[in-house]
Amino acid sequence: MTPETAPKKRGLLLALVAGAFALAAVLAAALLVNVAEKKSEARNPTVRVVELTDDTEDPAVWGKNFPAEYDLYKRTTDMVRTKHGGSEAIPHTPTAQDPRTVTSQSKTDADPRLKTMWAGYAFAADFREERGHAYTLDDQIFTQRQVVAKQPGTCGQCHASVYVPMKKLGNGDIFKGFEALNKMPYSEAKQHFKHPVSCIDCHDSQTMALRVTRPGFIEGIRAFKASQGVQNYDPNTMATRQEMRAYVCGQCHVEYYFKGPEKRLTFPWSKGMKADQIVAYYDEVGFRDWTHKETGAPTLKAQHPEFEMWNQGIHARSGVACADCHMPYMRVGGTKVSDHWVRSPVLNLNRACQGCHKWPEEELKARVEAIQDKHLELREQAFDALVALIGDLKAAKEAGKTDAELEKARFLQRRAQFLFDFVEAENSTGFHAPQEAARVLFESIDASRQGQLTLRDPSFKPTVAVVTIPPPPPAPAPGIQPAALTK
């Protein structure tokens, strides 16, 4: 370096350093502006485009204020299978009675034993893989169960947005509207339904706070809490926010029955939420869903008891709610939102599971499927045992055995069938509570085998007390609307 060039190079170096500092300052300023914008978005997560009220039923209107959540909600139309759940779209030729262009796989076609279990009941005619929330109303309106049986308006409680219809029918009192809706035939009640399960069914329109809007759940959880010594429980004033993230799901994802001639939607939780506690309740009140066509047993149909089964599992004991896994938080810009694309956590392992379980997605998926594979092995054994009992009972009935001679075996079929169906209808394939699901299936197998023993040895005494279930009410006179045959 010559004396003449040294100052020039020092000047160039100083210019480069100054430029670097200037660029860093610009980037830092941009970062600070971006952070400020994100903080502003977080403080003001919504832009009020429309005024929502307690009568705003259409989710598309809510979507104007909450576009991210609404766009995610619309994705519940997607049909994606996991190894043991979900459903591909099956093409359907539209008809005047059923305008759907796609539907889901028939479970009864895939496993004809289901038709044997439900012989004489509407589910033997049509039972399909579950689909997303956006389909809940259409799939209820157009099921073949509506064709083979007269269903009550009570069915709308889980398949439609019923909060506003209940308010209108009850002149502002949802309990009176609930009672009015229950009593209607479904053909009449559906005239009040405009949308599937919607925003207003779970959220307060002014505060967005979670809330329970279904009287059936309010009465059911009150009865359950009373069994634990807590009187006059009200979930909307006494539950924690985390509890509400499960309760809003428990309004529908539950076991229930239609009580009395008024078809009041009732959650059978006064003895507890375990499967055998629920069947004990049904035994005590003498309820049957129908009389089995092949055996004459006073049988029960379990519904979709995800809430009850989740309550017996490790996630519930750890304070993990339904929404934590099925609607995990996500970032949209600077705003944290709950993912309203409700789906299997297996399809969303990163956000649904890895927040707590620090393992690769492949490992987490393998763990889930290992639990479900083992569950299905036990399910097969329990189902075979139940079908064998049904076959033996059918043969004994055809051979001329009397009702008195068949009573014990029929009662054990009732018990075995409900316990099996409780696990079968629960849509996690055993994952929500693996040990409890295994216990219930074992109890079902035991009841089936004891039922077979009573047919072989009339002196055999079952390990559970046999309860006489009263016969169903007589058929209505000609011209009178028949009572609903199904739940």
Side-chain angles (χ1 to χ4, degrees), residues 367-384:
R367 291 186 184 187
V368 172
E369 291 180 351
I371 289 170
Q372 293 176 326
D373 288 345
K374 291 180 175 65
H375 170 84
L376 287 175
E377 290 178 11
L378 188 53
R379 179 253 190 197
E380 288 297 300
Q381 295 176 46
F383 211 172
D384 284 344

Side-chain angles (χ1 to χ4, degrees), residues 232-254:
N232 302 314
Y233 183 80
D234 180 357
N236 284 317
T237 60
M238 299 170 73
T240 66
R241 184 176 182 278
Q242 186 66 356
E243 286 174 328
M244 290 298 282
R245 285 166 58 80
Y247 284 178
V248 292
C249 305
Q251 296 182 99
C252 294
H253 291 267
V254 289

Side-chain angles (χ1 to χ4, degrees), residues 111-134:
D111 191 340
R113 290 176 297 180
L114 292 167
K115 295 181 180 181
T116 300
M117 179 169 69
W118 295 325
Y121 196 58
F123 272 78
D126 189 13
F127 179 57
R128 295 179 178 273
E129 289 281 4
E130 61 276 8
R131 298 206 289 175
H133 283 177

